[in-house]
Amino acid sequence: MQQDNKNINIETRLNQLENQQLPDLSNMDKHWQAMELMLQANGKSKPARSVSFFTLYARKLFIAASVIAVLIAAWYFRNSFGNASKVVIVPTAKAPAASPVNKEEKVNNNPLPVATTVNPATTTQTDAPHTHRPALNIAQSVSSVAEDIAAADEAYAREAIASFYRKIQNPVQEFNINAEKGGIITGSEGTVFTIPAAAFVDESGRIITGDVKINLEEFYRYADMVAANLSTLSNGKLLTSGGMVRITATANGNKLNLRQNREISLNMPASSYDPEMKLFTTQSETGDKIESAMYASYPAQERNLNWELTGKQNTYIVFDGKTMVPDRLDQPYSVIRTGKKTTAKFALSKKSSLTPAQMEEILKEKFSDDYDVIKVIRDGEPRKASTFLHRGTIDMESVIGDSIRLTLQHALRGKYIEKKDSSLYAERIKTDSVRFMNEYAGKQTSYAFSIQKLGWVNCDKYCNLANKKDIVINLPEGVKAEKFVSHIVFSSSRSSVIPGRSAGNQISFREVPSNINAFVVGLGYVNGKVVSFMEKLRTDKAEIEVSDLQETTPDAFRKKLSLLDLK
């Protein structure tokens, strides 16, 4: 009876379910599409924030510190609980029967739980042989993390210093010329390039036509050289620089070269002209990267250019080695004898560049044994010559009292001077040559060169100073000198700059001329800050202590560098 009632209740329930109104699913697809659009609209990611290098660096340090903390906790946990652990294995039914447990074996009272699926109908629980987890090499892990931190710190220092240098360098000057016509460009510091027509070719050697962009950089002051991280060394030898420039050319963004058998005329301004200056260029830059010197790829030894002697100045005025000697017809127009005293009178042509006093000194050297007194007057008027002169009456303007310029060899060969007087005239020629070059140098305002390739150009001469020594700069204890870029600048040798080499907390300068005034300048990275120092020194000391490292900004450092150019 109860069974029948149960069946009736089931049928009643089924009928109720059949009569229940079901939801309308015909628009289900549209509902899903609308929901998908809503999810897409709400799920659009916001633009990613630009994360600076410094923020990434801080996150790396935090992650590294967290890893170290986890490793230390794991090591502590391993030493506290790992020695007591034992593994319990539950074999399956197909496994061979487990051997009886050795009663003498110590059983772990606190085994670590093992997650497994056990069928009680087919398995039994047995103890496995005692095993241990592999030991964690904490020292090695910590060392690895420390190396990662050091590498990140090194990368940050490199970028911080490179970014700093980019902010203190002079901007690159840009010019546009027509390659087929050539042209003249003049830099802001006075550098002048005269570029001939059809002077450029591309990397494949094809002659360039149309517009060419010229980039020019000029370095004539200490501040500019140090700010660009440049130095003046040629195969380890110190140079005195009259200025450096760098010229490059591009067309449609492609690098150009100077065409073979084409030369660019270069004039570099000279504040104090030196005839000994020569042309130096660099064959290649370290790392074969043309931007390395300009953008301070840290450390210092990666940036330096090696200057190589390339040519001389285009000096067309050269001393001819001649001096004034009396003409063979320079005889006195009058000789007066009064007692034992003889006076000779000479007439100096108005065409002569000499004064009567200068001519008188020359004649005294020649006729001191013949006459007691020699007098010289300037007279351009023709007059009757003495009877003993050549051909009677002659034109005094052309011969009497005149002189000519001759080399020493020609003067001796033509018997214009006697052999015993040759040393006197040789010394005079030497004096005349020095005077000539000084007068010439005083009139020069630039150095003239011809260059056969684009790139770096340096107007230099060798700085031949003896008594050289090494100098060491000691930074404060704990400060890494490898994170510093440094130079020593010589006050007495205009524009001579030597880069420093770093190790530990010391910066060393090799082959430094001793006993001269200099400045040592450094820029570095300490405790997350860019710092600098500049010390005035005398190079007679072997070691210099630097304790004042001041945090600096590009503007403040550039202002500090400007002090190097004050005389």
Side-chain angles (χ1 to χ4, degrees):
M1 187 67 179
Q2 292 178 348
Q3 184 68 29
D4 293 340
N5 291 334
K6 186 175 182 181
N7 293 335
I8 292 173
N9 292 334
I10 292 173
E11 290 180 3
T12 302
R13 181 59 179 162
L14 291 174
N15 292 331
Q16 292 176 352
L17 292 174
E18 289 178 358
N19 295 329
Q20 184 176 355
Q21 184 176 2
L22 297 176
D24 185 9
L25 301 180
S26 61
N27 294 324
M28 182 63 69
D29 291 338
K30 294 182 179 180
H31 290 313
W32 276 113
Q33 291 176 1
M35 183 175 293
E36 184 178 2
L37 292 175
M38 294 173 63
L39 290 174
Q40 289 178 356
N42 294 330
K44 286 184 179 179
S45 60
K46 297 180 180 180
R49 288 191 306 168
S50 177
V51 182
S52 68
F53 179 86
F54 311 117
T55 304
L56 292 176
Y57 172 70
R59 290 179 181 176
K60 288 182 179 179
L61 287 181
F62 176 77
I63 293 172
S66 301
V67 171
I68 292 176
V70 170
L71 291 174
I72 293 175
W75 174 79
Y76 178 77
F77 181 87
R78 173 69 181 83
N79 286 341
S80 300
F81 305 104
N83 293 334
S85 62
K86 184 177 179 181
V87 180
V88 177
I89 301 176
V90 181
T92 62
K94 296 182 180 179
S99 59
V101 177
N102 188 351
K103 294 181 180 180
E104 296 180 358
E105 181 180 349
K106 294 183 179 179
V107 180
N108 183 7
N109 294 327
N110 231 348
L112 293 174
V114 179
T116 182
T117 302
V118 179
N119 187 348
T122 59
T123 62
T124 59
Q125 191 176 45
T126 61
D127 288 339
H130 192 98
T131 59
H132 293 281
R133 297 179 181 180
L136 294 173
N137 192 337
I138 300 299
Q140 183 177 359
S141 300
V142 172
S143 175
S144 176
V145 173
E147 289 177 0
D148 291 342
I149 293 176
D153 187 63
E154 175 75 13
Y156 177 77
R158 183 189 300 267
E159 173 60 25
I161 294 176
S163 175
F164 194 98
Y165 267 99
R166 285 192 290 268
K167 295 176 182 177
I168 63 175
Q169 292 167 10
N170 289 336
V172 178
Q173 304 171 56
E174 295 184 358
F175 304 87
N176 290 293
I177 67 169
N178 184 285
E180 298 164 84
K181 297 179 180 180
I184 298 175
I185 63 174
T186 302
S188 60
E189 298 288 338
T191 309
V192 179
F193 287 91
T194 303
I195 302 173
F200 299 107
V201 294
D202 59 17
E203 295 287 358
S204 63
R206 183 177 61 88
I207 299 175
I208 297 299
T209 59
D211 291 338
V212 170
K213 184 173 77 171
I214 305 294
N215 285 347
L216 174 62
E217 296 158 277
E218 301 171 287
F219 310 92
Y220 288 100
R221 290 182 289 270
Y222 280 131
D224 296 335
M225 295 178 188
V226 175
N229 203 13
L230 297 172
S231 61
T232 57
L233 290 177
S234 175
N235 298 318
K237 296 180 179 179
L238 184 62
L239 301 173
T240 296
S241 179
M244 310 178 194
V245 297
R246 178 173 176 246
I247 180 173
T248 58
T250 58
N252 298 321
N254 298 317
K255 177 185 173 183
L256 303 181
N257 298 316
L258 196 59
R259 184 180 173 187
Q260 191 174 8
N261 299 324
R262 287 290 194 278
E263 292 183 343
I264 293 179
S265 297
L266 166 63
N267 287 84
M268 301 177 68
S271 58
S272 179
Y273 182 83
D274 188 340
E276 296 182 9
M277 287 293 183
K278 296 178 176 61
L279 177 67
F280 284 75
T281 59
T282 178
Q283 297 301 321
S284 62
E285 299 180 23
T286 305
D288 200 28
K289 293 181 179 179
I290 200 165
E291 300 296 340
S292 60
M294 294 306 303
Y295 297 110
S297 59
Y298 171 88
Q301 47 265 40
E302 296 178 4
R303 295 185 309 275
N304 297 327
L305 302 174
N306 181 49
W307 300 105
E308 299 180 13
L309 179 61
T310 305
K312 298 181 180 181
Q313 296 184 49
N314 296 338
T315 305
Y316 300 105
I317 301 178
V318 179
F319 181 64
D320 56 10
K322 297 178 180 180
T323 190
M324 299 297 295
V325 297
D327 193 292
R328 284 177 296 185
L329 296 180
D330 280 341
Q331 300 295 331
Y333 71 86
S334 173
V335 177
I336 302 174
R337 292 179 176 86
T338 55
K340 295 182 178 180
K341 184 178 180 181
T342 304
T343 301
K345 295 182 179 181
F346 294 82
L348 179 63
S349 170
K350 68 177 182 180
K351 291 184 178 181
S352 175
S353 61
L354 299 176
T355 65
Q358 291 172 332
M359 190 61 184
E360 189 172 305
E361 291 298 320
I362 295 173
L363 295 174
K364 284 180 179 179
E365 293 174 2
K366 182 177 181 181
F367 299 115
S368 59
D369 294 335
D370 301 320
Y371 309 108
D372 299 308
V373 179
I374 294 177
K375 295 182 179 181
V376 177
I377 63 172
R378 186 182 294 277
D379 188 356
E381 295 295 330
R383 67 174 63 191
K384 188 175 181 179
S386 302
T387 56
F388 60 85
L389 286 181
H390 240 12
R391 299 179 182 177
T393 301
I394 60 175
D395 186 358
M396 290 178 56
E397 256 191 357
S398 60
V399 291
I400 300 300
D402 208 349
S403 57
I404 58 175
R405 287 180 56 84
L406 293 175
T407 63
L408 183 60
Q409 292 80 3
H410 288 152
L412 288 170
R413 188 180 303 125
K415 296 182 179 181
Y416 287 85
I417 61 175
E418 298 182 15
K419 191 173 183 179
K420 64 183 180 66
D421 297 325
S422 60
S423 59
L424 175 66
Y425 281 94
E427 186 65 28
R428 180 180 296 164
I429 290 174
K430 182 179 179 181
T431 303
D432 290 345
S433 67
V434 173
R435 183 176 65 253
F436 172 83
M437 293 308 297
N438 288 337
E439 292 176 354
Y440 174 77
K443 298 176 183 177
Q444 301 309 301
T445 59
S446 65
Y447 299 103
F449 300 105
S450 294
I451 59 175
Q452 287 80 40
K453 70 169 190 174
L454 303 176
W456 286 95
V457 178
N458 195 353
C459 174
D460 285 289
K461 70 174 183 178
Y462 287 107
C463 184
N464 297 317
L465 295 177
N467 302 321
K468 297 179 181 179
K469 61 189 299 184
D470 294 348
I471 293 180
V472 175
I473 306 298
N474 294 317
L475 298 178
E477 193 68 29
V479 174
K480 293 184 178 181
E482 289 85 355
K483 295 180 181 179
F484 276 77
V485 177
S486 54
H487 300 84
I488 192 166
V489 181
F490 302 100
S491 305
S492 58
S493 300
R494 184 65 179 166
S495 298
S496 295
V497 183
I498 295 179
R501 296 180 178 274
S502 306
N505 72 321
Q506 293 183 327
I507 301 172
S508 61
F509 296 92
R510 301 183 58 188
E511 299 291 317
V512 177
S514 60
N515 298 320
I516 61 175
N517 295 324
F519 285 90
V520 60
V521 184
L523 182 75
Y525 173 78
V526 178
N527 297 329
K529 300 177 181 178
V530 177
V531 299
S532 68
F533 66 86
M534 187 168 76
E535 298 284 341
K536 188 175 182 179
L537 56 90
R538 182 81 179 172
T539 58
D540 53 349
K541 297 181 180 180
E543 293 194 19
I544 306 294
E545 301 293 330
V546 173
S547 57
D548 188 17
L549 299 178
Q550 299 179 350
E551 184 178 2
T552 188
T553 63
D555 290 340
F557 187 65
R558 183 74 198 205
K559 185 176 180 180
K560 182 181 291 186
L561 292 180
S562 65
L563 299 176
L564 297 173
D565 293 293
L566 298 179
K567 296 183 180 179

